[in-house]
């Protein structure tokens, strides 16, 4: 007997990406994503210089590699460790040893905005409310661990109010516009995914902002972890998220010990 799937849960990044790409507006905000092969990795490194290699069905930043082409040398970062190689062949052999037991994808690398010289991105939560309508219920900023390339709280990232991270780079007015744009992209993603998968009731959309202030949809999660929102000083978001989830029958475990809370500054 097959194990029953969680309601509305779609694991594959490639499957979700292909659905999102059906929207011309969303497609402009999705980095090129392909199944990891030798050819795809080589061509994308030649074109972009930096890519991310991710498990197709992974979560919480586990197994993610940042891969770079540097002049004629290559490097990839896994966790806090970086590995250098004199040529593509040597690098690919090493990557293959890490990825051979699972399906992986390779995604165009986005040079994202930084805060205190650390990259950051955002998790936007959207849920079906009690009226059955999609509602953006929270946005959390995720600042990477000082020695890591991924921002996930489970990988030692720090959770911030979104505006705190954006304002130093974009200014207050642009930050407001960007947050609205991210909400719009999230709503469009929810509509697009729910057309293909009607049982989807919630999404966590990961969005990064590049140096030109363009938002990019890095990933769409159909079983999002609410833990980042428990780390924010403003508890209204997590209360709203929990209330919406209760309406469609999901109960969260809020034992959230991995992500770091927003630092409290002294007066």
């Amino acid at each position: 007997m097959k194990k029953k799937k969680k309601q509305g849960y779609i694991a594959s990044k490639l499957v979700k990406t292909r659905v999102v790409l059906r929207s011309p507006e969303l497609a402009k905000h999705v980095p090129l994503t392909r199944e990891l092969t030798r050819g795809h990795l080589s061509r994308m490194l030649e074109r972009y210089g930096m890519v991310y290699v991710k498990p197709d069905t992974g979560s919480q930043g586990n197994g993610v590699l940042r891969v770079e082409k540097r002049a004629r040398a290559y490097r990839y970062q896994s966790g806090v460790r970086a590995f250098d190689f004199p040529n593509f062949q040597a690098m690919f052999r090493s990557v293959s040893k890490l990825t051979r037991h699972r399906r992986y994808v390779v995604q165009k690398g986005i040079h994202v905005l930084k805060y205190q010289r650390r990259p950051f991105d955002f998790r936007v939560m959207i849920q079906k409310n009690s009226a059955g309508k999609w509602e953006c219920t929270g946005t959390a900023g995720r600042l990477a661990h000082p020695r890591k390339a991924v921002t996930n709280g489970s990988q030692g990232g720090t959770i911030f109010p979104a505006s705190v991270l954006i304002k130093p780079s974009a200014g207050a007015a642009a930050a407001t516009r960007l947050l609205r744009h991210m909400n719009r992209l999230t709503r469009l993603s929810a509509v697009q995914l729910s057309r293909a998968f009607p049982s989807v009731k919630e999404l966590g959309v990961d969005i990064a902002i590049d140096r030109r202030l363009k938002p990019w949809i890095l990933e769409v999660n159909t079983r999002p972890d609410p833990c980042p929102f428990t780390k924010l000083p403003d508890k209204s978001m997590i209360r709203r998220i929990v209330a919406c989830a209760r309406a469609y029958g999901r109960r969260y475990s809020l034992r959230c010990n991995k992500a770091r809370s927003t630092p409290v500054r002294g007066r």
Side-chain angles (χ1 to χ4, degrees), residues 172-227:
T176 299
R177 289 194 298 271
L178 280 167
L179 288 168
R180 288 174 181 164
H181 195 180
M182 287 193 290
N183 279 353
R184 173 172 169 74
L185 294 175
T186 298
R187 288 192 184 94
L188 288 173
S189 298
V191 170
Q192 193 68 26
L193 262 293
S194 60
R195 284 174 181 161
F197 307 107
S199 60
V200 169
K201 305 294 184 186
E202 60 183 11
L203 294 174
V205 181
D206 295 340
I207 299 179
I209 308 295
D210 71 16
R211 295 167 186 171
R212 296 183 179 181
L213 302 186
K214 178 178 177 176
W216 293 88
I217 300 170
L218 303 180
E219 191 172 332
V220 178
N221 303 275
T222 57
R223 194 73 173 174
D225 182 359
C227 278

Side-chain angles (χ1 to χ4, degrees), residues 31-32 43-51 107-109 111:
L32 181 67
R43 287 190 291 273
M44 289 175 68
L45 281 171
E46 287 294 328
R47 182 175 179 183
Y48 302 119
M50 187 269 287
V51 299
Q107 185 177 75
K108 170 188 175 181
H111 293 282

Side-chain angles (χ1 to χ4, degrees), residues 40-178:
H40 285 154
L41 181 58
S42 177
R43 287 190 291 273
M44 289 175 68
L45 281 171
E46 287 294 328
R47 182 175 179 183
Y48 302 119
M50 187 269 287
V51 299
Y52 283 87
V53 171
K54 308 176 180 182
D56 183 45
T57 58
S59 63
Q60 298 185 329
N62 294 318
V64 175
L65 309 176
R66 175 186 165 113
V67 187
E68 297 176 85
K69 182 177 187 290
R70 297 183 164 192
R72 295 184 179 180
Y74 293 82
R75 164 179 286 199
Y76 73 76
Q77 182 176 352
S78 174
V80 298
R81 298 184 66 190
F83 303 87
D84 292 293
F85 303 89
N87 53 56
F88 178 83
Q89 289 78 10
M91 181 273 293
F92 187 71
R93 279 197 300 270
S94 181
V95 168
S96 296
K97 290 177 182 178
L98 297 177
T99 62
R100 60 188 171 187
H101 298 301
R102 300 174 65 181
R103 188 187 197 191
Y104 272 69
V105 302
V106 54
Q107 185 177 75
K108 170 188 175 181
I110 304 300
H111 293 282
V112 304
L113 293 180
K114 294 185 178 182
Y115 179 83
Q116 297 176 348
R117 294 188 288 183
R118 294 154 61 185
F120 64 85
D121 61 19
F122 304 92
R123 165 62 60 88
V124 185
M125 189 83 168
I126 189 166
Q127 299 167 276
K128 286 283 185 76
N129 60 25
S130 57
K133 304 294 183 181
W134 285 111
E135 177 184 344
C136 289
T137 48
T139 301
R142 309 185 303 179
L143 183 68
H145 180 283
R147 296 175 59 201
K148 292 186 178 181
V150 295
T151 61
N152 305 72
S154 58
Q155 298 292 325
T158 305
I159 307 304
F160 280 82
S163 60
V164 171
L165 297 181
I166 299 179
K167 282 181 180 179
S169 297
T176 299
R177 289 194 298 271
L178 280 167

Side-chain angles (χ1 to χ4, degrees), residues 123 125 223-231 238 241-242 250 252-254 256:
R123 165 62 60 88
M125 189 83 168
R223 194 73 173 174
D225 182 359
C227 278
F229 299 93
T230 68
K231 304 298 182 179
I238 188 61
I241 288 166
V242 168
R250 186 175 177 197
Y252 297 120
S253 171
L254 297 180
C256 304

